[in-house]
Amino acid sequence: MAGREDVLEKYWEWIRPEAGESEKVLGLDEDTVNYIDRIVDEYLRHEQEQQTDKTKGRDRNE
């Protein structure tokens, strides 16, 4: 799925259990999927901050 965010998003929605529904993939119950969503959101927020800093001439890794 490299580079195919649309396919990844469709897959993620397909395996996401509905509220109160049992898991569709072993180990990916509603709470776990929500936790993964929060982790990914934080990662993307951090990546966006780094890109913003680089465009302003400030690289936090230096």
Side-chain angles (χ1 to χ4, degrees), residues 4-61:
R4 293 292 314 269
E5 190 171 326
D6 59 326
V7 175
L8 180 60
E9 186 64 31
K10 284 181 183 183
Y11 176 74
W12 191 242
E13 289 303 317
W14 180 69
I15 65 171
R16 176 189 303 279
E18 298 295 326
E21 187 179 90
S22 63
E23 58 197 31
K24 295 178 183 177
V25 175
L26 184 62
L28 291 179
D29 61 12
E30 186 179 0
D31 289 339
T32 303
V33 170
N34 290 337
Y35 179 69
I36 293 169
D37 277 340
R38 289 192 309 272
I39 291 170
V40 170
D41 288 346
E42 181 63 21
Y43 171 80
L44 293 174
R45 185 192 62 76
H46 179 73
E47 287 292 306
Q48 185 175 21
E49 280 182 1
Q50 284 188 325
Q51 289 301 318
T52 301
D53 287 348
K54 286 180 182 178
T55 60
K56 292 180 180 179
R58 299 183 314 244
D59 188 350
R60 291 182 178 183
N61 294 327

